[in-house]
Amino acid sequence: MLQKIWKIVTWRWKLQLVINAPFGVLWFVDKTNPAVHAFDMSMLAAIHAEWMAPMMGIG
């Protein structure tokens, strides 16, 4: 069944699937692993606030 569907899909769609596959993997890891966000928060807390404020538009 999947082989029949894969034969119907054009080369452009296949190229898009190949290009977007790494982003799909990152999205899956983001949704299933809460430690990813814990790392982001610890990294943000370690950055000096005066350096980060202009980047956030509050400085």
Side-chain angles (χ1 to χ4, degrees), residues 40-41 43-59:
D40 290 344
M41 294 309 294
M43 184 175 64
L44 288 176
I47 296 175
H48 195 268
E50 292 177 11
W51 179 77
M52 195 168 79
M55 291 175 52
M56 295 173 58
I58 58 175

Side-chain angles (χ1 to χ4, degrees), residues 10-56:
T10 65
W11 68 270
R12 291 181 184 176
W13 285 24
K14 291 176 185 177
L15 181 63
Q16 284 295 319
L17 289 171
V18 169
I19 290 171
N20 291 322
F23 298 104
V25 170
L26 290 174
W27 176 82
F28 179 76
V29 170
D30 178 55
K31 294 297 180 186
T32 56
N33 188 358
V36 172
H37 296 288
F39 170 74
D40 290 344
M41 294 309 294
S42 64
M43 184 175 64
L44 288 176
I47 296 175
H48 195 268
E50 292 177 11
W51 179 77
M52 195 168 79
M55 291 175 52
M56 295 173 58

